Amino acid sequence: MRRRILEGLLALVLLTGCNEVRQVRLTFGAEGEGLDGFLCREDDGAYVLSRAVPAGGGAVPASLVIDFVRLGGLPGCRSGQLVSWCADHDCAVMPEHRVCIPTPLPDITDLPRAEAREAVREALRSLSGAAISSEAPDEFIIVRTTATLQSCDELEAGGVTALREEALVGCAYSCPVSLNAIEGDVYLGFDTLTEQCAQGVRVCASGDLHWRP
């Protein structure tokens, strides 16, 4: 089966072995609710994203990294379930599928949360149609998007372990999914009960989904 995955923000082209073309959407939700991992705050209440706003204001120079993370099975979807599963299983980024896209993100410093979410959503909308992958892994994975202050050139040179925790500004991920079998949308979100969630971004973006103190 030949499968195309599309979304208003991202587009994945996944090839599986037949000639049929099917479409599945990647989505952050109808209202962008999956973008909570881009709206985390530091302990002092400031948005994590705001720490990198240029001195004169304007967009934050950032990169969006799209990864497929191998799970070695089918764990639950909540972050605690994934972390627990990956403590005993070989969870790892699949380097052959990593894609990095330069993606300036907005200055949300003084915006209320709803307006900040819409600003980030609008910035990511510019990625519509971007090709992410040429082949669907034939196993259960999660699809993960990570926003970092590092350049794509730096990440490409450093390999899949190059993401630096201190440069992370956002993260979202899907439930475990087999991309060759999914029907409907693939939702990307972030599991948190508080806006002070910079720690959760570090866990989400880690190569092995292990806890980060």
Side-chain angles (χ1 to χ4, degrees):
M1 177 195 310
R2 191 176 167 199
R3 180 172 291 232
R4 248 180 119 206
I5 293 188
L6 302 173
E7 204 263 349
L9 303 175
L10 300 171
L12 284 70
V13 180
L14 304 180
L15 307 179
T16 64
C18 307
N19 295 319
E20 182 184 356
V21 177
R22 301 178 64 191
Q23 295 185 357
V24 179
R25 295 191 310 162
L26 279 183
T27 178
F28 292 112
E31 304 297 329
E33 59 270 23
L35 292 171
D36 282 354
F38 290 75
L39 305 174
C40 289
R41 295 182 185 270
E42 305 278 12
D43 290 340
D44 62 4
Y47 288 115
V48 174
L49 182 57
S50 297
R51 70 189 182 192
V53 174
V60 175
S63 303
L64 194 72
V65 180
I66 299 93
D67 281 318
F68 294 165
V69 181
R70 173 177 287 119
L71 299 173
L74 184 57
C77 189
R78 303 296 297 234
S79 59
Q81 293 173 310
L82 287 167
V83 169
S84 177
W85 172 273
C86 290
D88 299 317
H89 295 80
D90 184 20
C91 300
V93 171
M94 305 174 76
E96 67 273 23
H97 291 289
R98 169 166 283 185
V99 171
C100 183
I101 306 172
T103 310
L105 294 173
D107 178 3
I108 60 174
T109 302
D110 296 319
L111 295 180
R113 189 172 180 81
E115 293 180 23
R117 178 183 289 109
E118 185 57 32
V120 173
R121 186 183 180 197
E122 186 62 31
L124 294 181
R125 206 182 304 277
S126 65
L127 302 180
S128 178
I132 303 304
S133 180
S134 61
E135 187 174 357
D138 190 19
E139 58 187 291
F140 283 102
I141 61 162
I142 63 172
V143 181
R144 184 183 68 190
T145 61
T146 307
T148 175
L149 303 179
Q150 296 169 264
S151 70
C152 288
D153 287 344
E154 177 185 348
L155 293 171
E156 183 177 354
V160 295
T161 62
L163 281 171
R164 291 187 283 107
E165 290 187 359
E166 66 273 15
L168 298 170
V169 292
C171 193
Y173 62 95
S174 73
C175 287
V177 61
S178 172
L179 291 172
N180 290 332
I182 188 68
E183 298 289 345
D185 296 350
V186 175
Y187 173 76
L188 305 182
F190 185 79
D191 190 13
T192 183
L193 297 176
T194 174
E195 294 184 22
Q196 272 73 31
C197 51
Q199 162 74 346
V201 171
R202 290 193 291 271
V203 174
C204 174
S206 67
D208 51 12
L209 298 182
H210 285 180
W211 182 252
R212 292 293 185 268

